[in-house]
Amino acid sequence: MIDLRSDTITKPTAEMRKAMAEAEVGDDVYGEDPTVNLLQEKAAEIFGKEAALFCPSGSMGNQIAVKLHTKPGEEIIIEERGHIFNYEMGAPSVVAGVMIRSVKAANDNGMLTWDEIEPALHINQPYYACPTGLICLENTHNFGGGSVMSAEQTGEIYKRAHALDLPVHLDGARIFNAATALNESVKELSRHCDSVQFCLSKGLGAPVGSMLLGEKDFIEEARVWRKRLGGGMRQVGILAAAGLIALTESPKRLHVDHENARLLAEGVANLKGISIAAEKVQTNIIIFDVSETGKTSAEICVQLKEQKILAISFGNSIRMVTHYDVSSEDIKTTIKKLKQILQ
Ligand code: TLP
């Protein structure tokens, strides 16, 4: 199978499995797992944040952040295609008791500007308006096609938000991909946010885990909420050991995934009925519209599966994600098979 459904499907490398087998462990609920502690210290150092918390998933990291930054009855602002809004099963309303005010970015890459955010805010409004409590950004923007937001763009939003006492949370599930594409450090890209979540288990290849980072007090409180949500893990150094390799080694090769994604985008852009601006593909995600092919996206995905290629369909589009288990040969095969299906 050539599995292009997501970079979440990556399997741990031999090096990760060895480190997992040999990991020193302790009870992390008591804060006594040395490998988890090392991972948290290392992540905080790399991101230039005071502290970090190892979470079971990106969703949990995001939801703890939303909970801690807001009060029930408030609104959070997020781009219309944002993951926290669409793919976390309404958790902001369940966990934090907040509503979501989504804003559609004019740019189809999903990146919001302050001019788009500002009219959606409820600040200093009459008491019966629902007050804004948080702005959530996403970098890379998954359903914006893996698009990237520069430190300047984030900085502008952060500066304006802070002038209004509004915190900013960054869903940086794939922030290392953004850093690679922009040739920028993750520290710089997450400087302008009060908290950031990134995933070890996507393109970085760890089997499980995400990190939530922020100020020391925020992370102490996040530890309480992680446990409350059932995310207190015990001898979890076996997972943190893989996470340490993901954090320090895997970013070095992400450019290969980006090259493969570009190759794939250029290949499919030439196929009849497919619409994608290949030159806009910046990281490891490509999303293309198939409405002019005469087939639905679901039909195409079924036919791809018969050819041992997996992709995800939604609406009129198909998403394909490159990762280290996909080679440039696999990309060529995918383009060839897709061409046959569309003929
Ligand atoms: N994204 C998954 C699916 O849920 C869509 C994927 O295959 O891309 N933030 C962003 C931007 C994400 O893309 C994801 C996962 C998450 C958060 C949640 O991470 P997990 O799956 O660890 O809860």
Side-chain angles (χ1 to χ4, degrees), residues 206-225:
V208 179
S210 288
M211 307 300 294
L212 177 63
L213 299 105
E215 286 180 359
K216 204 161 163 288
D217 291 351
F218 174 89
I219 293 300
E220 278 316 306
E221 200 49 28
R223 188 182 302 282
V224 174
W225 271 93

Side-chain angles (χ1 to χ4, degrees), residues 45-319:
E45 184 193 316
I46 292 173
F47 278 75
K49 297 282 184 203
E50 281 181 19
L53 185 71
F54 187 44
C55 294
S57 68
S59 302
M60 191 186 281
N62 282 337
Q63 294 308 325
I64 291 173
V66 171
K67 170 69 203 166
L68 293 185
H69 287 304
T70 60
K71 291 201 284 290
E74 289 185 339
E75 277 182 356
I76 65 171
I77 303 279
I78 186 165
E79 207 277 325
E80 198 177 79
R81 285 156 287 178
H83 195 277
I84 290 175
F85 179 29
N86 294 283
Y87 303 104
E88 298 187 15
M89 295 145 294
S93 67
V94 178
V95 179
V98 294
M99 306 225 298
I100 290 183
R101 183 162 298 272
S102 65
V103 179
K104 187 165 170 39
N107 193 327
D108 62 8
N109 71 7
M111 292 303 174
L112 288 172
T113 62
W114 182 256
D115 288 348
E116 291 169 321
I117 292 172
E118 195 175 25
L121 300 177
H122 288 157
I123 301 279
N124 300 328
Q125 299 265 319
Y127 75 91
Y128 45 80
C130 186
T132 310
L134 174 69
I135 296 174
C136 292
L137 303 176
E138 189 173 314
N139 197 10
T140 65
H141 194 308
N142 187 343
F143 287 88
S147 53
V148 300
M149 195 172 204
S150 69
E152 292 71 38
Q153 286 171 291
T154 320
E156 174 65 11
I157 293 171
Y158 179 76
K159 192 178 78 193
R160 306 289 210 103
H162 271 230
L164 299 170
D165 274 339
L166 265 183
V168 175
H169 170 69
L170 176 61
D171 178 355
R174 296 184 179 82
I175 191 131
F176 280 94
N177 294 87
T180 301
L182 290 163
N183 198 19
E184 182 63 276
S185 67
V186 289
K187 183 175 174 176
E188 200 49 39
L189 291 182
S190 53
R191 182 188 298 282
H192 307 294
C193 62
D194 299 280
S195 55
V196 56
Q197 176 281 122
F198 76 93
C199 294
L200 296 160
S201 62
K202 297 199 164 54
L204 301 185
V208 179
S210 288
M211 307 300 294
L212 177 63
L213 299 105
E215 286 180 359
K216 204 161 163 288
D217 291 351
F218 174 89
I219 293 300
E220 278 316 306
E221 200 49 28
R223 188 182 302 282
V224 174
W225 271 93
R226 184 187 64 175
K227 182 82 173 87
R228 189 169 279 142
L229 294 172
M233 303 175 285
R234 303 289 179 174
Q235 287 71 28
V236 72
I238 53 165
L239 294 179
L244 272 164
I245 295 170
L247 179 62
T248 52
E249 296 303 316
S250 304
K252 296 175 193 162
R253 57 154 309 285
L254 289 178
H255 64 98
V256 178
D257 299 341
H258 297 183
E259 284 155 21
N260 281 338
R262 183 57 88 88
L263 199 66
L264 183 58
E266 283 164 1
V268 303
N270 289 326
L271 305 182
K272 205 167 141 270
I274 286 186
S275 161
I276 180 172
E279 71 286 357
K280 290 193 183 159
V281 171
Q282 291 166 293
T283 60
N284 67 330
I285 297 178
I286 81 161
I287 295 177
F288 50 92
D289 185 287
V290 298
S291 39
E292 301 297 314
T293 59
K295 291 180 193 266
T296 67
S297 60
E299 281 164 356
I300 295 173
C301 283
V302 167
Q303 286 184 276
L304 280 170
K305 192 171 176 184
E306 287 162 5
Q307 300 297 322
K308 298 200 180 326
I309 297 166
L310 299 177
I312 283 181
S313 69
F314 63 102
N316 289 330
S317 299
I318 292 179
R319 185 186 79 158

Side-chain angles (χ1 to χ4, degrees), residues 12-29:
T13 62
E15 197 191 352
M16 285 178 190
R17 287 177 190 267
K18 184 166 182 292
M20 291 169 80
E22 293 169 1
E24 229 187 298
V25 296
D27 192 328
D28 183 50
V29 171

